[in-house]
Amino acid sequence: MGCISNYNLKIDFNKNISMKKEEFLTSLIEALELENHELNEKSIINLTSIMTLTLIVYLDENFNLRVTGKDLKNIDSVEKIIQLIGEDKFE
C-alpha cells in the first residue's frame, strides 16, 4: 500500500504578481542563460528555440502568464517582453 503525503497548497488565482524591474532583468539573464550580458529595457534579444521554450516557462512561473511560441514570434527586445507581461506587473 502506498502512502500519500498531505500538502498544504495555497493557490490564489487573483494574486497580484509584481516584480521590480531590476529583479526581472537579473532573473531573465539567469533564465535565458545570458550571464555574460547586461540587459536593460532597450536590449535586443534574438531568441533561439530553446530560449523561447525557457521564456514560456519563465513567464508562467513568474507572472502566471500563459503564452505560446506563436505569442513570442515577434519578441526581439526586453521592452517587448515587458509589454507582453504588462507594465502594471512591475514596481
Side-chain angles (χ1 to χ4, degrees), residues 5 8-9 21 26-27 42 45 48 53 57 61 64 73 78 88:
S5 300
N8 291 321
L9 298 175
K21 281 193 181 174
T26 300
S27 67
K42 300 296 182 189
I45 295 181
T48 64
L53 291 172
V57 173
E61 290 179 351
N64 200 28
K73 184 179 179 184
V78 173
D88 60 319

Side-chain angles (χ1 to χ4, degrees), residues 26-47:
T26 300
S27 67
L28 188 63
I29 288 169
E30 291 174 13
L32 298 180
E33 299 181 0
L34 299 171
E35 282 81 15
N36 295 328
H37 295 83
E38 289 186 29
L39 292 182
N40 61 50
E41 290 182 48
K42 300 296 182 189
S43 295
I44 301 299
I45 295 181
N46 295 313
L47 294 175

Side-chain angles (χ1 to χ4, degrees), residues 18-26 63 89-91:
S18 66
M19 182 184 289
K20 292 183 180 178
K21 281 193 181 174
E22 296 93 25
E23 292 173 359
F24 165 71
L25 293 172
T26 300
F63 295 96
K89 301 291 186 191
F90 296 96
E91 300 173 13

